[in-house]
Amino acid sequence: MKITLRDWVILFTVIPLLFVGSGLSLFYAWDRYVTVDEHIEDKAGALVDVLTMQTRLIIESGKLENLHPIYQYVLSRHSGILKNLAIIADDDTVLYNATPTFHPEEHLMVRAFGEPEPGNYQNSRVYQTPNSYLYYVPMVKEGLGEGRLDFRYNYLGYVVFEVSKLPYQAEMRAAFAFSFAAFVVTVLISIAFGHNIVRFVSRPVEELNKAILNIRHGEAGTKISGKFEGEVDLLRLGLNNLSQTMGDFQRDMEMNIESSTREMRQNLSQFETQNVQLELAKRRAVEASQVKSEFLANMSHELRTPLNGVIGFTRQLYKTPLDTNQQEFLYTIENSANNLLSIINDILDFSKLDSGKMALEKVPFSFREAIDEATALLAESANNKGLEFSININPTMPNSLIGDALRIKQVLINLISNAIKFTEQGHVAVDIDYELLDEEDIFITADIRDTGIGISDKQAETLFEAFNQADKSITRLYGGTGLGLVIAKRLANEMDGDINYISKIHQGSTFKFSFHSSINQLPVDAIIEPFELEQKRILFYEPQHNTRSAISRQLKHWHMDVVEVSEMSRLVEILHAHKYDYALIGTQVSPVNIGDIKALTESIASVIPRTTLAINSSSLKMKETFIKAGARDVISKPITYKNLRRALLGVPDTDVEAIALGDNNSEDLTNMKVLAVDDNEANLKLLMSLLKQKVSDLDTATDGRAALELCRFHKYDLILMDVQMPIMDGSMAMEKIRDNTLNVDTPIIAVTAHALPGEKEKFIKDGFDSYLAKPIDEGLLEHIIFEYAPTFAAPRMERTMVEHEQGMVDVGPTSPVFDWPLALQRSGTNPQLALEMFKMLLDSLEQTTVELRHYIDVDDLTSIASLIHKLNGACCYVGIPRLEKVVNDIETQIKKGAILADLEPEFFELFDQIESVMTHQQDFLQKVEKSIESHKHKP
């Protein structure tokens, strides 16, 4: 139930008046009642006193007849209240009764009054009837003596009076009626007063409420007219002010909203324009990224091609008779080319590092060999600047580790080359130490210290940022892209390590490269300590402190008795003081002191035959000069573990040297049976040529079905499977071979001429054991044969001579279309095989062109893709780089989902290249055949 303001006002107005009015009325009635009773008592008492005294006197006089006139007079005089009179004697007899109908004896209780006292009427007894009061007043004889009165003899009787209530009852009713009427009138007045108050208050409240509702509905300018009284009027004025303020605020807000709406529309328009620009920029960025990827791919190809030539011909030179110095030079050339190729790969993988997706290898490697390879590349640049370049490795450090040797070498090469680049005089020292974390883990630190230009605080802020160097002047003076340190630091982080540095401007820098690695529990290159050198005395002269400290530490680790000398005068002094088994003389060679060093060598060698000279040069003629002067061996600085051990022992210590000293014109054949599958005749022929030089037994197949039939009846140790072939492709053939043939467990290698990023993982996921890309790298092929060869397979004693035409790589026909040296490289330097593969490709080009044009006309992209793949595989083994690039690009775009209409420009270029090849083929083939024939007749 909801109580309104009207109800509350009436309740709070009427209820107090009800309580007050009812209380006053009751009080007035009760007071009137008490007043009437007192009036009756007073009047009755006066009559009683007079009549009782007269009655007692008359009784005492014995004139009872006198009672009647007196009583009649009293009754008549007081007839309004006095109804009856009677006198009762002390023996309870009625002496007088003014009214016969009155029977006073009915209420007689004389004995109940006790003993009366003269003049004391307090012992009177009063009885009430519905309409009257009955007074029984005893009469006592006075003056009978002192002391107690004898009640029996002094009690004369009592007088009975009947006083009527009727006259006073009417007065009482009138009083009650008046009280009630007054109460009712008061209540009505209060109700009327409350109603007036409600009207006085509710009307303004209603108007105020209406005004508030209007304001709530948006009518902010609403005003309350009229004038109220008191505080209500103040409330009205306050509400009007609030309404005015809200109206002003609403108008301001509407103006602001309109202004904001206009600005928002302008901003939306700008956003739409910017979104269009961003979309265009995004497309340009994607196109730029594609261009960058294509550029990197092209650069990768252009760089790898000459590097592959350098590496390939270096390996071919290993097969020829070489002396020790030539072997060392070839070893440095090959390592340099391999490291350069690795660096190119690292730069191409910079995006992977940037996105955190670089995967490091976990393969066994020789740590000291990795350090030797890294320092061998940089020794010449340090020696040319006359710097002291030293390597100090803790001799107790384990050598056979598990990790990514290429990445470790890359970081070291970058840090050391920077140190050499920014140091004009003084030294560059590499100190390598380690800490064993447990039986399997090792923490390695390499400190690269230099005395170069140092790094200022300002330059340090951008030191590890991409494409930044110290400052522009440094870039102009020293060159570089500014990527080296960024890649190095991220590689260190990937190996759970870091690169930190301390530097002082113009005083030098120290870079600390730290990384984690694992110890190989099955060493691939365990260090065999040269026990022959134990307790041998060696005279060690080295004026450069860092080199002297590092080499002396290593010699003492071999338990040699080392006599260190840092000054020439001291060397001459102690040369004849003791007998020495070995002498190691370190010196800095310059054009002006060669004669002095030669004379020093002669004098020392005359006393100590086993004298080794360590010089800051790799010049073959200079080494020969000092050897003729008496030195047993001459090694280049920085002095490495391998070179020092070999020089002191006087025996070869590496596989490269061992190969160089042996028969370089043949290779051992691995005793295993291999199946090669390829639908391209030229590819299959080249694969056969390479495999025949390496394995004892070889079968071939031109499609997957033929390979499957062979696998049903022959057990192979290795299967090389082309992926895309007619009749049955390589993937299906692999599945069927694994399903039900003799070669369920035989390793199957996927061979393809073109693979997008990620397809290698897909091949392995589909079931192939590994992946080999065309053109086939001879080193990778050897690695796969070694990896999957049976454990019992051993090299056979028969040897085969690899056909090698001396000078054919360097001398041959040149053409803007054909690349004969590249063809020789891809054919294993076999000119007859290269020529035959050229002819096979050239014979197929005309038919391929006709079929391509037909499939383009009928829009058969599937058949086009098959022809392009076949042509790409054929181009991989010959020297037609322009045609090869166009075909490779077309196959790439087809695999990425390009439609035929998008490839129209590429096909135009393809047909142009084919036409150019066919135009120049006759002249080129004649030159090649003539060149081959002329080399055959050379003595």
Side-chain angles (χ1 to χ4, degrees):
M1 179 180 179
K2 185 177 181 181
I3 301 177
T4 63
L5 178 62
R6 183 190 304 274
D7 299 331
W8 283 113
V9 170
I10 292 176
L11 286 175
F12 288 132
T13 304
V14 173
I15 289 177
L17 290 175
L18 285 176
F19 282 104
V20 174
S22 60
L24 291 175
S25 299
L26 291 174
F27 176 75
Y28 173 75
W30 176 80
D31 183 67
R32 187 63 181 164
Y33 177 78
V34 172
T35 301
V36 169
D37 278 348
E38 290 178 352
H39 177 69
I40 292 173
E41 287 182 1
D42 291 342
K43 196 169 184 180
L47 290 174
V48 167
D49 289 342
V50 175
L51 289 177
T52 300
M53 184 178 294
Q54 291 293 332
T55 300
R56 181 175 61 78
L57 291 175
I58 292 174
I59 291 176
E60 287 179 353
S61 66
K63 299 178 180 182
L64 296 175
E65 65 276 8
N66 292 331
L67 292 173
H68 182 69
I70 294 172
Y71 280 18
Q72 287 298 323
Y73 174 77
V74 172
L75 285 172
S76 61
R77 180 69 182 270
H78 299 283
S79 60
I81 62 172
L82 192 60
K83 294 177 62 178
N84 293 302
L85 287 173
I87 299 173
I88 300 176
D90 59 349
D91 57 357
D92 298 332
T93 58
V94 178
L95 297 180
Y96 176 77
N97 189 358
T99 305
T101 59
F102 179 54
H103 300 285
E105 66 276 6
E106 294 178 359
H107 303 283
L108 185 62
M109 295 178 63
V110 177
R111 301 298 184 271
F113 287 98
E115 298 179 355
E117 295 180 0
N120 185 3
Y121 301 103
Q122 298 300 323
N123 290 329
S124 300
R125 178 70 68 177
V126 180
Y127 292 95
Q128 292 191 37
T129 64
N131 297 316
S132 61
Y133 290 102
L134 293 176
Y135 288 89
Y136 290 82
V137 182
M139 294 181 294
V140 181
K141 184 179 179 181
E142 297 180 359
L144 295 179
E146 298 179 358
R148 292 179 61 86
L149 298 179
D150 187 354
F151 179 77
R152 179 177 292 278
Y153 298 104
N154 294 313
Y155 185 70
L156 299 180
Y158 51 87
V159 180
V160 179
F161 298 91
E162 184 179 7
V163 180
S164 177
K165 294 181 180 179
L166 294 177
Y168 300 105
Q169 287 178 349
E171 186 177 355
M172 290 292 294
R173 283 193 292 274
F176 279 115
F178 176 77
S179 298
F180 180 74
F183 173 73
V184 171
V185 170
T186 303
V187 170
L188 293 176
I189 293 172
S190 64
I191 291 174
F193 181 73
H195 182 69
N196 289 331
I197 293 176
V198 169
R199 289 182 60 191
F200 177 77
V201 175
S202 63
R203 185 178 65 83
V205 170
E206 290 176 357
E207 293 189 12
L208 293 174
N209 187 39
K210 291 179 181 178
I212 292 173
L213 290 175
N214 292 336
I215 294 173
R216 181 182 177 185
H217 291 151
E219 300 178 9
T222 301
K223 289 188 177 181
I224 304 172
S225 60
K227 186 176 182 181
F228 301 142
E229 299 295 334
E231 289 79 359
V232 179
D233 192 59
L234 295 176
L235 182 60
R236 177 187 67 83
L237 294 175
L239 188 61
N240 287 340
N241 292 333
L242 176 61
S243 177
Q244 181 66 32
T245 302
M246 291 186 65
D248 297 339
F249 176 76
Q250 184 178 10
R251 285 189 294 272
D252 294 341
M253 184 175 63
E254 290 176 352
M255 293 176 62
N256 291 334
I257 290 174
E258 291 178 0
S259 176
S260 299
T261 302
R262 288 194 299 269
E263 293 179 359
M264 184 177 66
R265 289 174 180 172
Q266 294 176 357
N267 292 334
L268 286 176
S269 178
Q270 293 177 359
F271 288 157
E272 291 177 357
T273 303
Q274 291 176 357
N275 286 336
V276 173
Q277 294 174 350
L278 287 174
E279 183 66 25
L280 294 175
K282 180 181 177 182
R283 293 180 182 177
R284 288 194 295 268
V286 172
E287 293 174 357
S289 178
Q290 293 176 350
V291 171
K292 181 190 74 173
S293 299
E294 293 176 1
F295 171 76
L296 291 177
N298 293 335
M299 288 300 297
S300 172
H301 175 76
E302 297 300 329
L303 291 172
R304 289 167 191 249
T305 299
L307 280 176
N308 284 330
V310 172
I311 295 172
F313 290 120
T314 301
R315 291 174 180 173
Q316 294 302 319
L317 283 175
Y318 279 142
K319 302 175 183 180
T320 64
L322 302 171
D323 59 31
T324 303
N325 290 324
Q326 290 173 330
Q327 295 164 17
E328 185 176 346
F329 294 156
L330 283 178
Y331 183 64
T332 303
I333 291 172
E334 184 181 16
N335 285 336
S336 300
N338 285 327
N339 282 302
L340 181 56
L341 188 60
S342 300
I343 292 172
I344 292 172
N345 291 333
D346 292 336
I347 295 175
L348 294 175
D349 289 340
F350 178 74
S351 59
K352 290 184 179 181
L353 272 173
D354 198 37
S355 60
K357 296 181 180 179
M358 172 61 70
L360 298 179
E361 292 184 348
K362 297 289 185 180
V363 296
F365 72 98
S366 169
F367 180 75
R368 283 174 174 78
E369 183 177 345
I371 298 299
D372 290 349
E373 291 175 0
T375 55
L377 293 173
L378 305 170
E380 185 176 358
S381 59
N383 293 334
N384 290 339
K385 298 179 74 171
L387 302 177
E388 177 191 1
F389 184 21
S390 63
I391 307 295
N392 186 359
I393 304 177
N394 190 329
T396 63
M397 179 177 174
N399 187 53
S400 186
L401 305 179
I402 297 177
D404 197 327
L406 289 177
R407 306 301 180 185
I408 295 172
K409 286 191 292 183
Q410 180 181 348
V411 176
L412 288 173
I413 287 171
N414 178 268
L415 296 177
I416 297 173
S417 64
N418 282 344
I420 296 173
K421 182 190 301 183
F422 297 111
T423 303
E424 295 302 325
Q425 59 182 359
H427 67 264
V428 173
V430 180
D431 298 329
I432 299 177
D433 207 343
Y434 72 101
E435 177 185 356
L436 290 177
L437 303 179
D438 51 42
E439 294 181 356
E440 297 181 355
D441 296 324
I442 184 172
F443 184 73
I444 301 173
T445 58
D447 293 349
I448 295 89
R449 297 179 287 110
D450 65 68
T451 55
I453 61 176
I455 302 170
S456 67
D457 294 338
K458 184 178 180 180
Q459 295 166 349
E461 296 176 357
T462 59
L463 188 62
F464 292 104
E465 293 182 4
F467 305 106
N468 275 297
Q469 285 192 330
D471 56 34
K472 293 182 179 179
S473 62
I474 294 294
T475 304
R476 287 195 300 269
L477 181 59
Y478 297 102
T481 63
L483 272 178
L485 277 179
V486 178
I487 297 176
K489 188 173 181 65
R490 293 188 182 181
L491 286 174
N493 293 336
E494 290 290 331
M495 290 184 280
D496 297 327
D498 202 358
I499 294 179
N500 300 304
Y501 72 94
I502 55 175
S503 181
K504 292 184 178 180
I505 193 71
H506 303 308
Q507 295 184 26
S509 306
T510 299
F511 279 79
K512 182 180 290 292
F513 166 41
S514 61
F515 63 96
H516 282 82
S517 187
S518 300
I519 300 175
N520 188 8
Q521 303 301 322
L522 299 174
V524 296
D525 187 15
I527 296 178
I528 301 177
E529 300 294 352
F531 62 91
E532 302 93 334
L533 301 178
E534 291 184 5
Q535 307 306 321
K536 301 294 184 179
R537 175 171 291 182
I538 182 171
L539 176 61
F540 177 34
Y541 168 74
E542 176 58 66
Q544 296 178 332
H545 171 74
N546 294 314
T547 302
R548 185 174 66 254
S549 175
I551 300 305
S552 178
R553 183 183 186 187
Q554 182 63 60
L555 295 174
K556 290 177 181 178
H557 177 70
W558 288 340
H559 303 290
M560 298 188 73
D561 183 7
V562 183
V563 179
E564 295 184 38
V565 183
S566 60
E567 298 178 358
M568 182 61 67
S569 59
R570 177 64 176 165
L571 174 63
V572 175
E573 180 181 338
I574 67 171
L575 179 59
H576 300 280
H578 303 281
K579 183 179 180 181
Y580 301 98
D581 300 298
Y582 297 93
L584 177 61
I585 308 301
T587 182
Q588 296 290 105
V589 178
S590 65
V592 298
N593 69 348
I594 295 177
D596 296 338
I597 297 175
K598 184 178 178 182
L600 176 65
T601 304
E602 292 175 350
S603 62
I604 296 177
S606 63
V607 179
I608 309 173
R610 297 180 179 180
T611 298
T612 300
L613 198 63
I615 62 175
N616 59 327
S617 174
S618 58
S619 170
L620 179 60
K621 291 183 178 181
M622 191 173 296
K623 289 183 178 181
E624 291 177 351
T625 298
F626 295 134
I627 290 176
K628 291 179 180 179
R632 180 182 179 185
D633 201 349
V634 179
I635 58 177
S636 299
K637 290 186 176 182
I639 303 174
T640 62
Y641 174 91
K642 176 190 66 176
N643 288 339
L644 180 61
R645 183 179 185 275
R646 177 181 59 81
L648 294 180
L649 293 178
V651 295
D653 191 52
T654 65
D655 293 337
V656 175
E657 292 168 326
I659 293 173
L661 294 174
D663 186 359
N664 296 287
N665 295 322
S666 64
E667 296 178 329
D668 294 336
L669 297 179
T670 304
N671 189 13
M672 62 187 300
K673 189 171 185 177
V674 178
L675 172 62
V677 187
D678 200 311
D679 64 313
N680 187 288
E681 185 179 356
N683 296 348
L684 188 59
K685 191 165 188 176
L686 176 62
L687 195 57
M688 290 172 56
S689 176
L690 294 175
L691 287 171
K692 284 181 178 180
Q693 302 175 28
K694 305 179 187 305
V695 299
S696 59
D697 199 356
L698 176 65
D699 287 342
T700 61
T702 57
D703 59 66
R705 180 177 296 177
L708 179 61
E709 292 299 322
L710 287 173
C711 290
R712 295 185 190 276
F713 303 100
H714 300 278
K715 172 64 177 175
Y716 295 100
D717 299 310
L718 181 66
I719 299 175
L720 300 176
M721 180 75 70
D722 187 25
V723 176
Q724 191 167 340
M725 296 182 295
I727 304 177
M728 182 183 292
D729 62 26
S731 297
M732 183 177 295
M734 179 268 299
E735 293 177 1
K736 291 185 177 296
I737 290 171
R738 295 217 188 273
D739 183 43
N740 186 21
T741 67
L742 298 176
N743 296 272
V744 175
D745 301 325
T746 300
I748 303 178
I749 311 301
V751 182
T752 180
H754 187 279
L756 295 175
E759 285 197 359
K760 175 180 178 180
E761 291 74 13
K762 179 179 179 298
F763 290 145
I764 295 176
K765 184 178 179 181
D766 290 342
F768 287 100
D769 293 276
S770 187
Y771 161 87
L772 189 62
K774 298 178 184 178
I776 295 175
D777 181 85
E778 189 175 356
L780 292 177
L781 181 62
E782 289 180 353
H783 175 75
I784 287 178
I785 292 173
F786 175 77
E787 181 178 359
Y788 293 102
T791 55
F792 58 84
R796 295 179 57 186
M797 296 307 296
E798 298 99 356
R799 299 181 182 272
T800 177
M801 180 70 70
V802 178
E803 184 177 359
H804 176 74
E805 297 293 334
Q806 182 69 29
M808 184 61 68
V809 176
D810 299 320
V811 181
T814 59
S815 169
V817 179
F818 302 98
D819 189 338
W820 178 242
L822 179 61
L824 281 175
Q825 176 190 345
R826 291 179 173 180
S827 64
T829 65
N830 188 332
Q832 292 292 348
L833 179 60
L835 178 60
E836 188 174 351
M837 292 175 64
F838 258 121
K839 290 181 178 181
M840 294 172 63
L841 173 63
L842 295 174
D843 291 342
S844 66
L845 281 181
E846 184 175 357
Q847 180 65 27
T848 301
T849 303
V850 173
E851 292 181 2
L852 275 176
R853 292 188 184 277
H854 169 70
Y855 289 132
I856 290 173
D857 292 338
V858 298
D859 198 12
D860 188 353
L861 188 60
T862 303
S863 299
I864 292 173
S866 178
L867 276 175
I868 290 296
H869 178 75
K870 187 175 182 180
L871 181 59
N872 191 17
C875 292
C876 284
Y877 293 102
V878 295
I880 311 179
R882 294 182 181 178
L883 178 60
E884 179 184 356
K885 180 181 181 303
V886 175
V887 175
N888 188 71
D889 290 343
I890 293 176
E891 184 171 9
T892 299
Q893 295 189 49
I894 290 176
K895 285 192 174 185
K896 290 182 177 179
I899 62 177
L900 193 57
D902 295 337
L903 297 174
E904 185 174 354
E906 284 77 6
F907 279 112
F908 280 136
E909 185 178 358
L910 172 63
F911 293 134
D912 287 342
Q913 290 297 330
I914 292 177
E915 183 178 356
S916 178
V917 169
M918 297 179 69
T919 301
H920 296 85
Q921 63 173 329
Q922 192 65 33
D923 182 59
F924 176 74
L925 290 176
Q926 290 178 357
K927 291 181 179 179
V928 169
E929 291 173 349
K930 183 177 180 182
S931 177
I932 294 175
E933 188 68 22
S934 64
H935 279 82
K936 284 183 178 180
H937 294 85
K938 283 186 178 181

